[in-house]
Each structure stands twice: as structure tokens, then as C-alpha cells.
Amino acid sequence: MRVAGKLAVAGRSAAPQRPGGIDAAAVRRRLLAWYTRARRDLPWRGSRDPYLVWVSEVMLQQTQVERVREFFLRFTRRFPTVAALAAAREDEVLRLWEGLGYYRRARQLHAAARLVVADHGGEFPRTLEGLRGLPGVGRYTAGAIASIALDVPAPIVEANSRRVIARLAGHDRPVGGAGDEPIWEIAAALVSRTAPGSFNQALMDLGALVCTPDRPLCGRCPLQALCAAQCSGRVAVIPVMVAARPARKIRERALVTRHGDRVLVERRGPGAWWEGLWDFPRVAPAEAKTAEARRLGVVTYTVTHHKVTCGVLERRVRRVTKPGPGQRWVAIGRLGSLAMTAPGRRIAALLARD
Ligand code: SF4
């Protein structure tokens, strides 16, 4: 994979020696030495291909590393290059993403691949600004691609690195959202100018393996002597997280209309949760009452800040009716080949069991 444009050098200017009170030179030295011997063996490690770094980073947003391994290998086997992804149908991209959740990421990845091919001749932009111009590439993802694939000393802040930096600096104000701004500033001053990709990955690995949210292994930490939280006995209270919004409870009804072994499915429209994926139509309580349907079961699921309880009804019909907009009849045995929402897949499992 080649990359286009001029190499961004933002951040090569002199950085503070003690950002957030941290001895930056000592942290870089010790962290990089620790990374050489303790880094995680992950399928995307070792690659400097911006496309592979990008796919892995997008998958890692909101998803555990162990879960991403298998998806990453499957996805990049099918789409080994940005051109292959750009040429794919959205249905297939969503199908390969199924199980990872947050499908907006997949749609934006696909749209960005098409943009890289159409507007950049298949070559990734080489600046942070250029990368951030791609759909779905925010500050974190741009920093990860720029530092790991392009050697740009760009900072990254995600859950692991945020925790490590907050503890190193003894930062006891709330983090997350706007509260992350001081952490970004420290990260920008801290990142290694000579090995930014390794440094950023080392921060994330240290957060995942040693400086864990609960019971961090400070006795085994290469940064113990440099850590303000550890030296002041405040490890258990840093970082200070903003309280999460309580989940909103919702009830809904899914109606499975069935003729023989065929069922009516519906594609989720623009702006809906799981946009572009297939599911069974939802109906209003009044419609459910008049549908002469029998109760098939209940599925519960969580999406964004909502906890949903979905009653599943089944209505058998004597003839195949004309599907409504965005709907189609599908054999139950072929539901597996459709890109389906998480609740849709669970309703399909209820049907298979029935
Ligand atoms: Fe985290 Fe403990 Fe290391 Fe500080 S000493 S960075 S709290 S593991």
C-alpha cells in the first residue's frame, strides 16, 4: 500500500519536558523497552499498511481485542486492499461485520474506502487533516493510522491510554468527552518523536495488561517510579469517570408474518438503529392485537442507551402477500445469508427452534 501527499510533521517542534508533571523522556524510554518484550501478539501488529491499521482500529472501537481478532482476519481475507473493499456491495460488508455491532462503523469504512479510491487514487492521505476528511475517521483513528502506519508523532487517547496518562499525571478531574482535552494535550507532548506508533501501542498495551481499571499491577509496571497516582496512593480513584447515563427501558413488538417456510423481513431504513440491516417488522400494540398472532417468545437487547424488551409474535398467512416498501419474503433456511440486526438474528433463532 502506497500513501499519498506530503508527510505531516506537526508535533516535531519542541514539546514540554514534563507534560502534566510527567518525566516524558523517562516514560518514553521505559515504555518502549517494556513494549519490546511484553507487547501483545495481535494479527494486525507488524503491518504498516494504513488500510490494515485503519480496519483494525475501526473494529477496536467499542469492541474487545479478543473479539476483533477473528473478525479482522475474516474481513481482511475477503477485502485485502482498500480497492477490494471499495468494490464490494454494502450487503456483503455488513454481513461480514455482523456480530461486531455498531454497524455505522462498517458503512463509514465502506464509504471511506470508496472515497480513497475515487478521490485519492487508492492511496491514503498522509496528514492528520487528510485522514480526518474520510468518513468515520475521528481524532483517535486518524492519530492511530498516522502514528502506526506513517510515523507521524500524533497522539491517541482511548480508554486504555487515557487511564494510563491520567494516573501518570495524577489527573483527578473527570475524564471522557470534553474532560479528555487535558489528556490529549499531555498525550501530544508525551508521544515519542522517533517511534510514535510503537509508543502509542505500548500505552494501549500497558493499559490493557498492567494498568487495568481495577487492581492494576503496579508492582510489575515499568512506570511505577514515575507515576503520580501510585506515588500519592490515588490509583483506585483515578481516572475519575463521568457517571454513565442510565439506560432507558423500551418495549416493542416484532411481527413474524409466515407462509409455509417463508417469512417477511424488512430492511432498516435511514437513521434507524442498524440502518441497512434486515429484521422483522415492528408493529404498534393495536396492530399486534388485531393481527391474530401467537406469541413466539421474547428477546431482550441493549442498543446505545436503551434496554429493549421485544415481544415476538407470529402470524401465519394463507397466501404470500405483496411485500411493503423495503420488505421481502425469504425462506427461513436462507435467513443466515442475510445481514441481520442482533435482535433479528435472535428472532430467526426462535423460528428455527419452533
Ligand atoms: Fe498504572 Fe500503577 Fe503503572 Fe501507575 S504504576 S501507570 S497506576 S500500573
Side-chain angles (χ1 to χ4, degrees):
M1 169 66 57
R2 288 178 308 139
V3 288
K6 206 168 141 232
L7 182 69
V9 290
R12 283 197 194 276
S13 53
Q17 298 300 300
R18 298 190 65 85
I22 302 168
D23 181 343
V27 164
R28 289 180 200 129
R29 204 172 47 245
R30 291 187 192 193
L31 194 56
L32 287 169
W34 173 83
Y35 185 63
T36 306
R37 57 176 195 276
R39 66 191 219 154
R40 289 178 290 181
D41 181 20
L42 301 170
W44 48 89
R45 285 272 164 89
S47 172
R48 310 266 323 260
D49 180 339
Y51 170 70
L52 297 179
V53 173
W54 173 49
V55 171
S56 68
E57 291 300 337
V58 173
M59 286 188 169
L60 284 164
Q61 294 163 16
Q62 326 273 358
T63 311
Q64 300 285 330
V65 167
E66 284 314 309
R67 194 156 172 67
V68 168
R69 273 179 196 273
E70 173 202 336
F71 280 94
F72 174 82
L73 291 172
R74 200 168 53 138
F75 195 89
T76 53
R77 251 197 311 268
R78 171 63 189 87
F79 308 122
T81 62
V82 70
L85 178 59
R89 283 181 35 227
E90 185 179 271
D91 250 9
E92 194 188 357
V93 176
L94 293 176
R95 182 71 187 92
L96 277 171
W97 202 268
E98 200 184 312
L100 270 178
Y102 299 94
Y103 291 88
R104 190 151 177 259
R105 296 181 295 175
R107 272 192 299 275
Q108 288 184 324
L109 197 69
H110 192 209
R114 290 188 163 170
L115 200 86
V116 168
V117 169
D119 292 1
H120 301 274
E123 300 174 357
F124 271 79
R126 280 196 88 168
T127 62
L128 278 175
E129 298 70 30
L131 288 165
R132 290 197 65 176
L134 299 174
V137 177
R139 195 175 183 181
Y140 165 77
T141 310
I145 301 172
S147 61
I148 297 169
L150 310 174
D151 264 339
V152 177
I156 51 143
V157 173
E158 42 67 78
N160 285 317
S161 51
R162 175 204 288 133
R163 185 169 56 255
V164 174
I165 291 171
R167 285 174 173 165
L168 282 175
H171 181 83
D172 53 10
R173 276 162 286 145
V175 294
D180 276 347
E181 218 34 64
I183 306 291
W184 276 102
E185 275 173 32
I186 297 172
L190 211 52
V191 63
S192 163
R193 271 54 188 159
T194 51
S198 295
F199 180 86
N200 283 339
Q201 291 176 95
L203 265 185
M204 292 191 279
D205 278 15
L206 191 78
L209 303 173
V210 180
C211 191
T212 50
D214 304 313
R215 297 199 215 152
L217 307 170
C218 299
R220 290 198 219 154
C221 178
L223 309 180
Q224 188 179 18
L226 306 167
C227 176
Q230 161 70 16
C231 295
S232 60
R234 291 179 295 152
V235 172
V237 294
I238 294 178
V240 178
M241 302 302 292
V242 176
R245 248 195 299 161
R248 201 174 137 220
K249 291 185 180 168
I250 295 183
R251 287 188 170 277
E252 64 178 19
R253 287 144 215 86
L255 180 63
V256 180
T257 303
R258 179 170 180 172
H259 174 74
D261 72 339
R262 297 167 77 191
V263 288
L264 194 63
V265 290
E266 184 175 277
R267 190 174 223 159
R268 292 275 173 120
W273 289 328
W274 292 292
E275 179 187 334
L277 271 75
W278 294 91
D279 201 336
F280 297 90
R282 300 298 190 266
V283 290
E287 196 184 337
K289 266 189 195 147
T290 56
E292 291 179 16
R294 73 174 180 114
R295 198 176 166 80
L296 202 63
V298 174
V299 298
T300 55
Y301 60 95
T302 305
V303 56
T304 61
H305 293 289
H306 300 81
K307 236 180 169 162
V308 186
T309 304
C310 177
V312 184
L313 304 166
E314 185 197 53
R315 173 179 62 182
R316 301 236 178 192
V317 293
R318 294 219 176 93
R319 57 187 182 85
V320 171
T321 51
K322 190 171 171 233
Q327 297 183 338
R328 70 189 241 205
W329 287 93
V330 183
I332 292 173
R334 290 192 52 83
L335 287 172
S337 64
L338 289 185
M340 289 197 94
T341 68
R345 184 65 69 213
R346 290 172 58 194
I347 295 170
L350 284 179
L351 283 172
R353 221 175 48 194
D354 191 41

